[in-house]
Amino acid sequence: MVASEQVLATAQQLDTLSINTIRTLAIDAVEQANSGHPGAPMGLAPVAYCLWQNFLRYDPADPTWLNRDRFVLSNGHASMLLYAMLHLAEVRRVDKQGHVLKDLAVPMEEIKRFRQLGSLTPGHPESHITSGIETTTGPLGQGVGNSVGMAIASRWQAANLNRPDFEILDFNVYAICSDGDLMEGVGGEAASLAGHLKLSNLCWIYDNNHVTLDGPADWSFSEDVATRFVGYGWNITRVADANDLTMLSRAFETFLHTKDRPTLIIVDTHIGYGSPHKQDTNAAHGEPLGEQEVRLVKRFYGWPEDAKFLVPDGVREQFRERIGKRGRELRAKWSDLFAGYSKKYPDLAERLGHMQHRELPAGWDKDLPTFPADAKGMATRESSGKVLNAVAQNIPWMIGGSADLATSNKTTLKFEGAGDFEAATPAGRNLHFGVREHAMGACVNGLTVSGIRAFGATFFNFSDYMRASIRLSALMQCPSIFIFTHDSIGVGEDGPTHQPIEQLASLRAMPNLIVLRPGDANEVTEAWKIIAQQQSSPVALVLTRQALPTLDRSKYAPASGVAKGAYILADSPGGKPDVILLGTGSEVSLCVDAYEKLKADGVKARVVSMPSWEIFEKQDESYKESVLPSDVTARVSVEMAATLGWARYTGLKGRNVGMHRFGASAPLKDLLKYFGFTVETVVKEARAAMAEK
């Protein structure tokens, strides 16, 4: 054997050794935890290794590098694949302030604590816990949906921030996905949108292992995936053997040379590769291999059978020499380019800094509209559209759109230069998601984790389609903006299929989600001030279809009270009420009308506008007591939704005016009377509450 052949053989041997290190780390972590999914990492290890070592533009020493390629593990049950890569690549930890530390993001002790309480290696990847994870994945389809948002973000940032001779942003997005990702509807929606937008910076790698959790994939999945994606407008390539690093490299090269469409790489893998009794079966999917099987697998790999969490000599060095060195050189070259960019375009460089750190630009709240008192008023969707346009004009990286309902949601950005984001016009700020609520929610999260201030809108009833995305944004502390209009039986003739009833209670039950239901146009302005300033909590902004009176703020308290979540809008003389009326959204004005009626009858009443329970709960006890004094037990809540949860504020003696069934199709006035949302009903309930003393 000549010297060059010896070097080649040594390199191939080191590749195999490194790949088997990824596999055995996954096997050992799952075995020690007695919980997890070893099979997918065993099959996918060569794919991740080839991508990270040879193609991913990524510097482990700075996982916050703006122009890094994004890697998404959509099949999050294979989390040990990602943890092993983060560990072996020696990706650094980033603190809450965004500072890159010398510590490893995933040290070996955390690999050994896989799936344990408080570890950095939970069962599915969580981006707010572990540095180097771009987005929280687990519910199948969400990760690939996020990846489409990330690819849109890259295109948009390049179109708006790059300058001649300064190509600052052009990152690619890679996502590994499974049969489950492609079966879930959100995956199909996301793929359709990506193909329509010709996102050539997006590459999905399909783990075609023919196995699902229950058994063989062909029990439930027999479609021709390649033909399906051709129909979506994707480029398709295939690797027949996941262990063939040469063919994997060719596939990734194909992606990099494809400039007119996204790419799907179908990789034929063996789940549980190397396991004599469990390879290619669902037994390798969702449980440890078992001690005896682990020994047999390691024997197949040529691995010491008794070794656990072994990283052989040469493996770490191999990662340092490949992704470590390449990433360091790429980032250094980029940093030099960015230094020149910052000097020539300081305003744009500052903008990038704000985007990365979720900061607001100076003057973000200038020229926000205020609305004069008007008994006829306007729908909060209308006032929100006006405020949104002002806020977005002040925050140049705020973009978003609707699920084919922009004209109804009033979310179109209309100021000069806003434009539409399309394949040929990637600088536009209006996104057209089509009738794809599932994909829209996931894309908004992908945009947001990429530094964009993104929003998505639809009818409130269809928030159910987006629930997984909303939940994940809350879990990963991602300040996505979800705008929901047509928020009650006020939808009227469209009937109960479009009238939300239980959605408010449902979203209020979600941790770290702020629900805002403003009561008039000026409360909408204050709500947008809250939204703009969020850095780690998503917001659901819930708005009416029907017009609401714009309250006279010279007569009633200023709308700035929205900042506290709830505030005293109208009060009795001396501030000692006999009864408290609590309302949100369209029912606030109803409470005000009932207050005036009670006041005329000599009853001391107080109206509390309560647009956000979550924000109110963050206030100190003295403030909460001042708004809802504990010695005033006569309380009435009024909301055109399920009453679940209101008892925490109205108490055992309180009354709750709300919905206890689905709505109906009829003109709004008829519905309000039929379901009891009238002044007479509220006054009656207030008197009943006072009688309970």
Side-chain angles (χ1 to χ4, degrees):
M1 183 181 291
V2 299
S4 61
E5 291 175 330
Q6 290 177 331
V7 170
L8 180 60
T10 302
Q12 291 174 339
Q13 290 167 357
L14 195 51
D15 285 340
T16 300
L17 189 67
S18 299
I19 290 166
N20 286 337
T21 301
I22 298 168
R23 288 169 166 150
T24 55
L25 284 176
I27 291 169
D28 290 341
V30 171
E31 203 67 26
Q32 180 153 302
N34 195 30
S35 173
H37 302 255
M42 293 163 71
L44 284 168
V47 180
Y49 178 80
C50 181
L51 172 61
W52 281 56
Q53 291 286 58
N54 300 328
F55 295 95
L56 197 71
R57 291 181 299 176
Y58 187 89
D59 182 7
D62 185 5
T64 66
W65 174 27
L66 282 172
N67 203 37
R68 68 190 182 279
D69 286 346
R70 270 57 168 184
F71 174 78
V72 177
L73 185 69
S74 192
N75 49 333
H77 56 267
S79 58
M80 264 312 305
L81 175 69
L82 180 51
Y83 298 145
M85 296 305 297
L86 293 172
H87 173 72
L88 295 173
E90 297 180 323
V91 174
R92 302 298 168 178
R93 187 165 68 88
V94 181
D95 67 16
K96 296 295 185 182
Q97 289 71 44
H99 302 126
V100 180
L101 308 177
K102 293 182 179 180
D103 305 342
L104 294 184
V106 182
M108 181 58 80
E109 55 265 29
E110 293 297 331
I111 297 282
K112 294 177 180 179
R113 295 180 64 226
F114 178 55
R115 289 185 165 229
Q116 303 309 299
L117 183 64
S119 76
L120 299 178
T121 50
H124 294 80
E126 297 183 41
S127 59
H128 68 292
I129 289 178
T130 311
S131 304
I133 295 174
E134 301 289 356
T135 183
T136 298
T137 57
L140 293 174
Q142 287 294 317
V144 287
N146 293 165
S147 75
V148 175
M150 294 174 182
I152 293 171
S154 178
R155 279 288 174 82
W156 186 89
Q157 290 170 347
N160 283 278
L161 297 168
N162 288 352
R163 292 295 181 267
D165 299 322
F166 291 100
E167 195 165 322
I168 298 300
L169 292 163
D170 63 346
F171 62 83
N172 293 321
V173 183
Y174 299 87
I176 293 181
C177 57
S178 64
D179 289 312
D181 290 287
L182 301 188
M183 288 189 217
E184 290 283 3
V186 61
E189 288 184 16
S192 174
L193 181 60
H196 168 73
L197 293 174
K198 303 184 187 303
L199 297 175
S200 60
N201 59 345
L202 178 65
C203 178
W204 288 6
I205 304 134
Y206 169 33
D207 176 20
N208 186 32
N209 61 30
H210 307 288
V211 173
T212 64
L213 183 62
D214 274 349
D218 61 13
W219 280 1
S220 59
F221 193 59
S222 55
E223 67 192 44
D224 185 334
V225 170
T227 300
R228 171 184 165 192
F229 273 75
V230 168
Y232 285 146
W234 288 56
N235 180 47
I236 315 299
T237 187
R238 188 162 197 151
V239 177
D241 179 4
N243 293 302
D244 189 335
L245 297 181
T246 300
M247 293 307 295
L248 284 169
S249 293
R250 288 182 184 177
F252 288 125
E253 290 285 359
T254 297
F255 160 63
L256 293 174
H257 288 99
T258 301
K259 301 300 182 183
D260 62 343
R261 66 192 71 182
T263 294
L264 176 72
I265 302 174
I266 301 174
V267 183
D268 294 336
T269 68
H270 293 283
I271 192 169
Y273 176 77
S275 173
H277 301 107
K278 298 188 177 183
Q279 177 178 309
D280 296 329
T281 74
N282 64 322
H285 194 303
E287 62 186 18
L289 297 176
E291 183 178 350
Q292 186 56 37
E293 192 74 7
V294 168
R295 286 181 174 274
L296 296 175
V297 172
K298 289 182 176 178
R299 185 182 303 169
F300 175 83
Y301 294 158
W303 210 258
E305 294 179 22
D306 293 325
K308 293 184 179 180
F309 301 101
L310 173 64
V311 180
D313 293 342
V315 171
R316 296 190 194 279
E317 292 76 11
Q318 170 87 332
F319 274 85
R320 289 168 189 160
E321 183 63 24
R322 299 274 282 280
I323 188 173
K325 180 181 178 182
R326 183 169 50 83
R328 182 170 61 252
E329 291 173 350
L330 286 169
R331 183 170 65 91
K333 184 178 179 181
W334 181 90
S335 296
D336 289 342
L337 184 67
F338 188 70
Y341 177 86
S342 300
K343 187 174 181 180
K344 191 169 184 178
Y345 305 104
D347 292 346
L348 294 180
E350 181 183 43
R351 182 177 299 180
L352 271 170
H354 288 321
M355 293 170 67
Q356 184 179 27
H357 297 105
R358 295 179 178 172
E359 297 170 343
L360 290 168
W364 68 270
D365 56 351
K366 69 179 181 181
D367 301 325
L368 298 188
T370 56
F371 300 89
D374 182 355
K376 183 179 179 181
M378 67 177 71
T380 52
R381 63 170 174 159
E382 294 275 2
S383 52
S384 176
K386 297 178 186 296
V387 182
L388 169 60
N389 268 267
V391 172
Q393 199 160 8
N394 295 339
I395 305 175
W397 54 93
M398 177 174 278
I399 73 174
S402 171
D404 199 48
L405 290 169
T407 53
S408 294
N409 299 146
K410 309 301 180 184
T411 51
T412 303
L413 301 180
K414 299 179 178 180
F415 49 83
E416 185 178 355
D420 295 322
F421 183 101
E422 286 289 351
T425 56
R429 295 175 64 182
N430 286 297
L431 294 171
H432 300 284
F433 291 106
V435 188
R436 301 185 184 96
E437 277 92 354
H438 299 272
M440 177 177 69
C443 284
V444 166
N445 288 344
L447 284 158
T448 303
V449 299
S450 303
I452 304 294
R453 205 68 179 91
F455 63 87
T458 186
F459 290 168
F460 191 32
N461 203 52
F462 304 149
S463 64
D464 292 344
Y465 286 173
M466 302 168 60
R467 186 171 181 84
S469 298
I470 298 170
R471 187 174 188 274
L472 284 175
S473 68
L475 176 62
M476 71 171 114
Q477 302 175 9
C478 172
S480 299
I481 303 168
F482 303 107
I483 302 170
F484 300 118
T485 70
H486 297 57
D487 70 348
S488 69
I489 61 168
V491 173
E493 292 86 347
D494 277 346
T497 62
H498 282 54
Q499 293 168 359
I501 300 299
E502 73 280 9
Q503 283 74 13
L504 275 170
S506 172
L507 292 184
R508 284 169 178 157
M510 191 178 293
N512 196 41
L513 173 68
I514 295 173
V515 180
L516 278 163
R517 190 168 184 247
D520 77 345
N522 287 305
E523 284 199 358
V524 167
T525 298
E526 298 302 319
W528 270 107
K529 291 180 182 178
I530 293 170
I531 293 168
Q533 296 178 78
Q534 294 307 307
Q535 291 187 316
S536 57
S537 294
V539 176
L541 179 63
V542 183
L543 305 165
T544 68
R545 174 195 185 217
Q546 72 273 27
L548 307 181
T550 303
L551 298 172
D552 183 351
R553 297 295 171 165
S554 66
K555 183 177 180 181
Y556 302 111
S560 57
V562 171
K564 299 280 193 179
Y567 67 103
I568 300 171
L569 177 62
D571 209 2
S572 59
K576 294 182 178 180
D578 293 323
V579 64
I580 300 175
L581 309 178
L582 300 94
T584 77
S586 50
E587 291 71 73
V588 170
S589 59
L590 177 56
C591 288
V592 169
D593 290 343
Y595 160 85
E596 295 293 353
K597 172 65 174 169
L598 289 166
K599 182 179 177 181
D601 292 343
V603 176
K604 295 179 179 180
R606 169 180 291 181
V607 175
V608 172
S609 177
M610 202 169 197
S612 175
W613 291 12
E614 299 79 21
I615 296 175
F616 181 65
E617 287 301 325
K618 292 179 181 178
Q619 307 309 309
D620 60 45
E621 291 302 320
S622 62
Y623 178 77
K624 289 191 282 188
E625 177 66 19
S626 71
V627 174
L628 299 175
S630 52
D631 60 353
V632 181
T633 58
R635 303 178 184 185
V636 180
S637 70
V638 187
E639 192 171 62
M640 282 195 274
T643 60
L644 182 67
W646 272 109
R648 71 189 298 186
Y649 298 116
T650 57
L652 295 176
K653 296 183 179 181
R655 315 285 287 190
N656 305 112
V657 179
M659 293 295 295
H660 303 282
R661 48 156 284 184
F662 291 114
S665 176
L668 175 59
K669 289 183 179 179
D670 295 340
L671 290 175
L672 295 179
K673 183 177 180 180
Y674 181 77
F675 286 112
F677 293 99
T678 64
V679 172
E680 292 74 22
T681 299
V682 177
V683 168
K684 176 184 174 183
E685 293 297 323
R687 293 187 180 280
M690 288 189 290
E692 288 285 339
K693 287 185 178 180

